[in-house]
Amino acid sequence: MNVLIVGGGKVGQGLAETLVRDGHSVTVIENRAEQVATLRHDLTGLTVVVGSGTDPAALEAAGVRQAHVVAAVTGADETNLVVTNLARLEYHAPRVIARVNNPKNAWLFTPDMGVDVAVNQAALIASLIAEQAEERIG
Amino acid sequence: MRAIIIGCGRMGSGLAETLARRGFQITLVDADATAFERLGASLKVQRIVGVGFDRDVLLEAGVERADALAAVTASDDVNIVTARLARHIFHVPRVVARVYDPRKAAIYHKLGLQTVSTTAWGIQRMMELLSFSHLDVIASLGSGEVDVLELEVPALLVGRTVNDLTVPGEAHVIAITRQGRTFLPTLGTVFQAGDLVHLAASGENHRLAALLG
Protein backbone atom coordinates (compact mmCIF):
# COMPACT_ATOMS: atom_id res chain seq x y z
CA MET A 1 0.00 0.00 0.00
CA ASN A 2 1.28 3.53 -0.82
CA VAL A 3 0.89 5.85 2.13
CA LEU A 4 1.60 9.57 2.02
CA ILE A 5 2.14 11.21 5.40
CA VAL A 6 2.12 15.00 5.62
CA GLY A 7 4.00 16.15 8.70
CA GLY A 8 7.11 14.39 9.95
CA GLY A 9 7.02 15.38 13.62
CA LYS A 10 6.61 12.87 16.45
CA VAL A 11 3.21 11.67 15.27
CA GLY A 12 4.24 11.44 11.62
CA GLN A 13 7.48 9.70 12.43
CA GLY A 14 5.80 7.17 14.71
CA LEU A 15 3.18 6.45 12.08
CA ALA A 16 5.84 6.08 9.38
CA GLU A 17 7.83 3.65 11.53
CA THR A 18 4.82 1.42 12.11
CA LEU A 19 3.79 1.41 8.45
CA VAL A 20 7.32 0.75 7.14
CA ARG A 21 7.65 -2.15 9.58
CA ASP A 22 4.38 -3.56 8.22
CA GLY A 23 5.86 -3.48 4.73
CA HIS A 24 4.07 -0.47 3.26
CA SER A 25 5.59 2.03 0.88
CA VAL A 26 5.74 5.28 2.85
CA THR A 27 6.52 8.87 1.81
CA VAL A 28 6.70 11.72 4.30
CA ILE A 29 6.47 15.43 3.46
CA GLU A 30 8.22 17.65 5.98
CA ASN A 31 9.42 21.24 5.67
CA ARG A 32 11.61 21.70 8.77
CA ALA A 33 15.25 20.96 7.85
CA GLU A 34 16.23 19.54 11.25
CA GLN A 35 13.20 17.26 11.28
CA VAL A 36 14.02 16.06 7.76
CA ALA A 37 17.53 15.17 8.97
CA THR A 38 16.10 13.26 11.96
CA LEU A 39 13.72 11.29 9.73
CA ARG A 40 16.47 10.38 7.29
CA HIS A 41 18.78 9.39 10.12
CA ASP A 42 16.31 7.38 12.20
CA LEU A 43 14.33 5.59 9.53
CA THR A 44 15.30 3.52 6.51
CA GLY A 45 13.04 2.35 3.74
CA LEU A 46 11.18 5.64 3.68
CA THR A 47 11.05 8.50 1.18
CA VAL A 48 11.25 12.01 2.59
CA VAL A 49 10.15 14.95 0.44
CA VAL A 50 11.19 18.39 1.67
CA GLY A 51 8.46 20.98 1.29
CA SER A 52 5.13 22.27 2.47
CA GLY A 53 2.38 19.67 2.52
CA THR A 54 -0.12 22.18 1.18
CA ASP A 55 2.06 23.02 -1.83
CA PRO A 56 0.62 21.16 -4.84
CA ALA A 57 4.13 20.75 -6.28
CA ALA A 58 5.37 19.01 -3.11
CA LEU A 59 2.30 16.77 -2.97
CA GLU A 60 2.82 15.75 -6.59
CA ALA A 61 6.53 15.13 -6.04
CA ALA A 62 5.57 12.90 -3.11
CA GLY A 63 3.29 10.84 -5.37
CA VAL A 64 -0.09 11.98 -4.09
CA ARG A 65 -1.77 10.65 -7.25
CA GLN A 66 -0.53 7.12 -6.53
CA ALA A 67 -1.25 7.19 -2.79
CA HIS A 68 -3.85 4.77 -1.44
CA VAL A 69 -3.96 6.64 1.84
CA VAL A 70 -3.08 10.24 2.70
CA ALA A 71 -2.56 11.07 6.38
CA ALA A 72 -2.41 14.76 7.38
CA VAL A 73 -0.74 14.83 10.79
CA THR A 74 0.97 18.21 11.14
CA GLY A 75 0.60 20.22 14.32
CA ALA A 76 -1.57 22.86 12.58
CA ASP A 77 -5.24 22.12 11.97
CA GLU A 78 -5.55 24.58 9.08
CA THR A 79 -2.65 22.87 7.31
CA ASN A 80 -4.16 19.43 7.85
CA LEU A 81 -7.48 20.64 6.46
CA VAL A 82 -5.94 22.11 3.32
CA VAL A 83 -4.06 18.83 2.82
CA THR A 84 -7.32 16.86 3.10
CA ASN A 85 -9.07 19.29 0.72
CA LEU A 86 -6.37 18.90 -1.89
CA ALA A 87 -5.93 15.14 -1.40
CA ARG A 88 -9.60 14.40 -1.85
CA LEU A 89 -10.97 17.14 -4.07
CA GLU A 90 -8.00 17.72 -6.38
CA TYR A 91 -6.09 14.42 -6.30
CA HIS A 92 -8.95 12.01 -5.50
CA ALA A 93 -7.08 10.03 -2.85
CA PRO A 94 -9.18 6.96 -1.91
CA ARG A 95 -8.69 7.33 1.86
CA VAL A 96 -7.88 10.49 3.79
CA ILE A 97 -7.06 10.61 7.49
CA ALA A 98 -6.40 13.72 9.53
CA ARG A 99 -5.13 14.62 12.96
CA VAL A 100 -7.16 17.08 15.00
CA ASN A 101 -4.87 19.16 17.20
CA ASN A 102 -7.30 21.50 18.88
CA PRO A 103 -10.55 19.73 19.89
CA LYS A 104 -12.35 23.02 19.22
CA ASN A 105 -11.65 22.49 15.52
CA ALA A 106 -12.94 18.90 15.41
CA TRP A 107 -16.24 19.92 13.82
CA LEU A 108 -14.37 21.08 10.71
CA PHE A 109 -12.97 17.62 9.95
CA THR A 110 -15.87 16.47 7.80
CA PRO A 111 -16.27 14.57 4.52
CA ASP A 112 -17.05 17.94 2.91
CA MET A 113 -13.50 18.98 3.83
CA GLY A 114 -12.15 15.74 2.37
CA VAL A 115 -11.73 13.91 5.70
CA ASP A 116 -12.73 10.25 5.98
CA VAL A 117 -11.37 9.70 9.47
CA ALA A 118 -10.46 12.39 12.00
CA VAL A 119 -8.20 11.38 14.86
CA ASN A 120 -8.85 13.71 17.75
CA GLN A 121 -5.94 12.96 20.05
CA ALA A 122 -6.89 15.28 22.90
CA ALA A 123 -10.45 13.97 23.04
CA LEU A 124 -9.18 10.39 22.76
CA ILE A 125 -6.75 10.75 25.65
CA ALA A 126 -9.31 12.62 27.74
CA SER A 127 -11.88 9.85 27.32
CA LEU A 128 -9.31 7.14 28.12
CA ILE A 129 -8.26 8.93 31.29
CA ALA A 130 -11.88 9.51 32.30
CA GLU A 131 -12.58 5.82 31.70
CA GLN A 132 -9.67 4.79 33.93
CA ALA A 133 -10.65 7.25 36.63
CA GLU A 134 -14.23 6.00 36.63
CA GLU A 135 -13.09 2.38 36.89
CA ARG A 136 -11.12 3.20 40.02
CA ILE A 137 -14.02 5.00 41.58
CA GLY A 138 -16.09 2.00 40.60
CA MET B 1 -23.60 45.96 4.24
CA ARG B 2 -21.76 43.96 6.85
CA ALA B 3 -18.30 42.65 6.05
CA ILE B 4 -15.92 40.52 8.09
CA ILE B 5 -12.21 40.81 7.44
CA ILE B 6 -9.93 38.10 8.79
CA GLY B 7 -6.37 39.34 9.22
CA CYS B 8 -5.41 42.91 10.09
CA GLY B 9 -2.15 43.22 8.19
CA ARG B 10 -1.50 45.78 5.47
CA MET B 11 -4.20 44.36 3.24
CA GLY B 12 -6.77 43.72 5.98
CA SER B 13 -6.42 47.14 7.58
CA GLY B 14 -6.40 48.91 4.21
CA LEU B 15 -9.45 47.00 3.08
CA ALA B 16 -11.24 47.81 6.36
CA GLU B 17 -10.57 51.53 5.98
CA THR B 18 -11.67 51.60 2.35
CA LEU B 19 -14.84 49.61 2.94
CA ALA B 20 -15.70 51.61 6.09
CA ARG B 21 -15.44 54.82 4.05
CA ARG B 22 -17.96 53.35 1.65
CA GLY B 23 -20.40 52.77 4.46
CA PHE B 24 -19.72 49.11 5.22
CA GLN B 25 -20.08 47.92 8.78
CA ILE B 26 -16.76 46.15 9.41
CA THR B 27 -15.65 43.50 11.86
CA LEU B 28 -11.93 42.76 11.92
CA VAL B 29 -10.48 39.54 13.31
CA ASP B 30 -6.81 38.94 14.07
CA ALA B 31 -5.06 36.42 16.29
CA ASP B 32 -2.64 39.12 17.43
CA ALA B 33 -4.16 42.03 19.39
CA THR B 34 -1.27 44.35 18.47
CA ALA B 35 -2.22 44.02 14.78
CA PHE B 36 -5.07 46.48 15.40
CA GLU B 37 -2.53 49.20 16.10
CA ARG B 38 -2.28 49.61 12.34
CA LEU B 39 -5.79 51.01 12.27
CA GLY B 40 -6.42 54.72 12.38
CA ALA B 41 -7.77 55.81 15.80
CA SER B 42 -10.85 57.33 14.20
CA LEU B 43 -11.84 54.14 12.40
CA LYS B 44 -15.00 52.68 13.88
CA VAL B 45 -14.81 48.94 13.43
CA GLN B 46 -15.49 45.98 15.68
CA ARG B 47 -12.22 44.26 16.64
CA ILE B 48 -12.03 40.63 17.74
CA VAL B 49 -8.89 38.83 18.84
CA GLY B 50 -9.00 35.22 17.72
CA VAL B 51 -8.40 32.63 15.02
CA GLY B 52 -10.41 33.18 11.84
CA PHE B 53 -11.77 29.68 11.52
CA ASP B 54 -12.78 29.36 15.18
CA ARG B 55 -16.56 28.89 15.26
CA ASP B 56 -17.05 31.05 18.37
CA VAL B 57 -14.98 33.85 16.85
CA LEU B 58 -16.94 33.77 13.61
CA LEU B 59 -20.27 33.73 15.45
CA GLU B 60 -19.15 36.67 17.59
CA ALA B 61 -18.15 38.47 14.40
CA GLY B 62 -21.70 37.98 13.13
CA VAL B 63 -20.92 35.55 10.34
CA GLU B 64 -24.56 34.48 10.20
CA ARG B 65 -25.64 37.97 9.18
CA ALA B 66 -22.57 38.97 7.17
CA ASP B 67 -22.89 39.99 3.52
CA ALA B 68 -19.22 39.47 2.78
CA LEU B 69 -16.05 37.97 4.21
CA ALA B 70 -12.44 38.48 3.15
CA ALA B 71 -9.75 36.17 4.53
CA VAL B 72 -6.44 38.00 4.19
CA THR B 73 -4.12 36.70 6.93
CA ALA B 74 -0.48 35.94 6.13
CA SER B 75 -1.31 32.21 6.01
CA ASP B 76 -2.79 30.73 2.83
CA ASP B 77 -4.07 27.77 4.82
CA VAL B 78 -5.90 29.87 7.41
CA ASN B 79 -7.44 31.94 4.62
CA ILE B 80 -8.58 28.90 2.68
CA VAL B 81 -10.09 27.08 5.65
CA THR B 82 -11.83 30.22 6.89
CA ALA B 83 -13.22 31.08 3.46
CA ARG B 84 -14.43 27.55 2.78
CA LEU B 85 -16.13 27.48 6.13
CA ALA B 86 -17.78 30.87 5.60
CA ARG B 87 -19.05 29.79 2.22
CA HIS B 88 -20.10 26.19 2.83
CA ILE B 89 -21.28 26.25 6.43
CA PHE B 90 -22.38 29.82 7.08
CA HIS B 91 -23.41 30.57 3.48
CA VAL B 92 -21.92 34.06 3.42
CA PRO B 93 -22.90 35.41 -0.02
CA ARG B 94 -19.54 36.90 -0.97
CA VAL B 95 -16.32 35.33 0.19
CA VAL B 96 -12.77 35.97 -1.01
CA ALA B 97 -9.51 34.41 0.15
CA ARG B 98 -6.07 35.83 -0.49
CA VAL B 99 -3.82 32.93 -1.50
CA TYR B 100 -0.15 33.66 -2.17
CA ASP B 101 0.60 30.32 -3.85
CA PRO B 102 -0.69 30.74 -7.43
CA ARG B 103 -1.23 26.99 -7.95
CA LYS B 104 -3.18 26.60 -4.76
CA ALA B 105 -5.21 29.68 -5.73
CA ALA B 106 -6.04 28.12 -9.10
CA ILE B 107 -7.11 24.81 -7.54
CA TYR B 108 -9.42 26.46 -5.02
CA HIS B 109 -10.81 28.75 -7.67
CA LYS B 110 -11.75 25.63 -9.62
CA LEU B 111 -13.35 24.25 -6.45
CA GLY B 112 -15.61 27.28 -6.32
CA LEU B 113 -13.74 29.59 -3.96
CA GLN B 114 -12.98 33.15 -5.01
CA THR B 115 -9.26 33.59 -4.60
CA VAL B 116 -6.94 36.52 -5.11
CA SER B 117 -3.34 35.59 -5.70
CA THR B 118 -1.41 38.76 -5.03
CA THR B 119 1.72 36.90 -6.08
CA ALA B 120 0.39 36.05 -9.54
CA TRP B 121 -0.88 39.61 -9.99
CA GLY B 122 2.43 41.03 -8.80
CA ILE B 123 4.36 38.87 -11.24
CA GLN B 124 2.08 39.87 -14.11
CA ARG B 125 2.39 43.57 -13.31
CA MET B 126 6.16 43.38 -12.81
CA MET B 127 6.43 41.62 -16.16
CA GLU B 128 4.48 44.40 -17.80
CA LEU B 129 6.69 47.04 -16.27
CA LEU B 130 9.91 45.18 -16.98
CA SER B 131 9.07 44.04 -20.49
CA PHE B 132 10.32 47.37 -21.85
CA SER B 133 13.85 46.29 -20.94
CA HIS B 134 14.04 43.91 -23.87
CA LEU B 135 14.44 46.96 -26.07
CA ASP B 136 18.09 47.43 -26.84
CA VAL B 137 19.16 51.02 -27.27
CA ILE B 138 21.66 50.90 -30.12
CA ALA B 139 22.23 54.63 -30.46
CA SER B 140 21.40 57.73 -28.51
CA LEU B 141 21.04 60.92 -30.57
CA GLY B 142 21.71 64.48 -29.43
CA SER B 143 21.78 64.60 -25.62
CA GLY B 144 19.76 61.43 -25.43
CA GLU B 145 16.41 63.00 -26.35
CA VAL B 146 16.04 60.50 -29.16
CA ASP B 147 17.05 56.86 -28.92
CA VAL B 148 17.37 54.34 -31.70
CA LEU B 149 16.08 51.02 -30.41
CA GLU B 150 16.11 47.53 -31.75
CA LEU B 151 13.70 44.73 -30.81
CA GLU B 152 12.39 41.46 -32.09
CA VAL B 153 8.77 41.95 -33.01
CA PRO B 154 6.54 40.86 -30.08
CA ALA B 155 3.98 38.14 -30.82
CA LEU B 156 1.16 40.60 -30.27
CA LEU B 157 2.33 42.77 -33.15
CA VAL B 158 2.77 40.00 -35.72
CA GLY B 159 0.20 40.60 -38.43
CA ARG B 160 -0.24 44.26 -37.42
CA THR B 161 1.09 47.19 -39.41
CA VAL B 162 3.91 49.65 -38.83
CA ASN B 163 1.19 52.23 -38.29
CA ASP B 164 0.14 50.39 -35.12
CA LEU B 165 3.59 50.94 -33.64
CA THR B 166 3.83 54.55 -34.69
CA VAL B 167 3.16 57.37 -32.26
CA PRO B 168 3.61 60.69 -34.13
CA GLY B 169 6.35 62.75 -32.50
CA GLU B 170 7.27 59.89 -30.12
CA ALA B 171 8.03 56.70 -31.99
CA HIS B 172 8.73 55.87 -35.61
CA VAL B 173 9.77 52.60 -37.18
CA ILE B 174 12.81 53.42 -39.28
CA ALA B 175 13.82 50.02 -40.60
CA ILE B 176 12.93 46.31 -40.47
CA THR B 177 15.40 43.46 -40.84
CA ARG B 178 13.66 40.42 -42.30
CA GLN B 179 15.49 37.22 -43.19
CA GLY B 180 18.83 38.99 -43.31
CA ARG B 181 17.68 41.91 -45.44
CA THR B 182 16.99 45.36 -44.05
CA PHE B 183 14.52 47.75 -45.66
CA LEU B 184 12.63 50.98 -45.00
CA PRO B 185 8.99 50.16 -44.29
CA THR B 186 5.88 52.16 -45.09
CA LEU B 187 3.08 52.73 -42.59
CA GLY B 188 1.24 49.83 -44.23
CA THR B 189 4.06 47.28 -43.93
CA VAL B 190 2.85 44.22 -41.99
CA PHE B 191 5.09 42.77 -39.25
CA GLN B 192 6.07 39.12 -39.61
CA ALA B 193 7.29 36.75 -36.93
CA GLY B 194 11.06 37.03 -36.52
CA ASP B 195 11.26 40.62 -37.77
CA LEU B 196 13.91 42.77 -36.14
CA VAL B 197 12.45 46.26 -35.78
CA HIS B 198 14.54 49.43 -35.61
CA LEU B 199 12.77 52.32 -33.98
CA ALA B 200 13.49 55.94 -33.24
CA ALA B 201 11.79 57.01 -30.02
CA SER B 202 11.80 60.13 -27.92
CA GLY B 203 10.89 61.13 -24.38
CA GLU B 204 9.91 58.62 -21.73
CA ASN B 205 8.65 56.11 -24.30
CA HIS B 206 5.64 55.41 -22.09
CA ARG B 207 3.23 55.06 -24.95
CA LEU B 208 5.69 52.93 -26.85
CA ALA B 209 5.98 50.61 -23.86
CA ALA B 210 2.21 50.34 -23.76
CA LEU B 211 2.09 49.49 -27.46
CA LEU B 212 4.65 46.75 -26.99
CA GLY B 213 2.99 45.56 -23.74
Side-chain angles (χ1 to χ4, degrees):
Chain A
M1 195 166 67
N2 296 330
V3 183
L4 172 57
I5 299 173
V6 178
K10 289 193 186 71
V11 174
Q13 181 165 352
L15 177 60
E17 262 175 47
T18 309
L19 291 168
V20 167
R21 206 185 305 129
D22 290 348
H24 298 293
S25 165
V26 179
T27 303
V28 177
I29 302 181
E30 171 57 51
N31 62 357
R32 294 163 295 180
E34 68 280 17
Q35 200 57 40
V36 168
T38 306
L39 284 167
R40 287 186 171 148
H41 178 264
D42 293 359
L43 290 174
T44 49
L46 163 92
T47 309
V48 182
V49 171
V50 185
S52 159
T54 64
D55 174 359
L59 286 166
E60 286 166 17
V64 67
R65 292 182 202 276
Q66 289 79 41
H68 299 109
V69 179
V70 174
V73 297
T74 77
D77 286 334
E78 66 273 20
T79 302
N80 292 346
L81 286 167
V82 172
V83 172
T84 63
N85 281 179
L86 295 174
R88 169 56 44 80
L89 305 171
E90 176 69 9
Y91 298 111
H92 312 291
R95 192 156 176 80
V96 179
I97 302 167
R99 167 190 180 189
V100 179
N101 292 277
N102 184 345
K104 263 186 103 173
N105 297 330
W107 69 290
L108 288 169
F109 289 70
T110 60
D112 183 50
M113 290 297 265
V115 182
D116 293 315
V117 181
V119 180
N120 186 340
Q121 53 185 10
L124 218 63
I125 292 167
S127 73
L128 285 174
I129 293 176
E131 220 171 83
Q132 291 299 317
E134 281 160 10
E135 264 178 33
R136 286 297 159 88
I137 299 162
Chain B
M1 293 275 275
R2 296 163 190 267
I4 300 173
I5 298 170
I6 311 293
C8 188
R10 286 191 184 85
M11 186 177 254
S13 58
L15 196 56
E17 281 168 23
T18 310
L19 288 174
R21 263 204 303 277
R22 296 201 180 170
F24 276 75
Q25 195 180 322
I26 305 290
T27 300
L28 262 165
V29 175
D30 200 292
D32 175 8
T34 61
F36 298 121
E37 289 167 11
R38 284 179 189 277
L39 298 171
S42 59
L43 190 66
K44 270 187 62 187
V45 298
Q46 189 190 359
R47 296 156 201 213
I48 299 175
V49 179
V51 175
F53 55 85
D54 184 316
R55 193 203 324 233
D56 298 337
V57 167
L58 283 172
L59 289 173
E60 189 188 343
V63 70
E64 291 167 313
R65 302 178 310 280
D67 300 295
L69 180 143
V72 295
T73 76
S75 160
D76 280 1
D77 297 345
V78 168
N79 296 344
I80 286 167
V81 171
T82 306
R84 222 178 134 75
L85 173 61
R87 192 78 198 92
H88 287 247
I89 300 193
F90 294 110
H91 307 291
V92 177
R94 281 171 187 267
V95 175
V96 185
R98 187 252 305 270
V99 178
Y100 284 111
D101 181 336
R103 282 205 57 200
K104 227 189 281 183
I107 289 173
Y108 276 95
H109 189 77
K110 200 174 69 190
L111 293 175
L113 194 66
Q114 285 285 346
T115 54
V116 170
S117 175
T118 44
T119 313
W121 277 10
I123 291 170
Q124 184 58 37
R125 184 73 186 125
M126 287 282 186
M127 284 292 293
E128 285 166 20
L129 295 171
L130 293 172
S131 61
F132 196 58
S133 65
H134 67 254
L135 297 177
D136 287 330
V137 176
I138 54 173
S140 210
L141 308 182
S143 311
E145 297 90 340
V146 173
D147 287 328
V148 177
L149 312 158
E150 191 180 86
L151 74 147
E152 196 171 321
V153 70
L156 274 173
L157 280 176
V158 171
R160 309 268 296 271
T161 62
V162 164
N163 192 41
D164 291 326
L165 191 53
T166 301
V167 183
E170 284 185 48
H172 293 271
V173 177
I174 52 176
I176 294 176
T177 302
R178 181 176 292 165
Q179 290 165 350
R181 203 182 69 86
T182 302
F183 60 95
L184 297 175
T186 66
L187 284 176
T189 302
V190 177
F191 291 113
Q192 295 181 7
D195 280 356
L196 191 64
V197 180
H198 310 271
L199 286 162
S202 73
E204 298 295 315
N205 298 329
H206 284 317
R207 297 184 61 192
L208 183 60
L211 280 173
L212 295 170

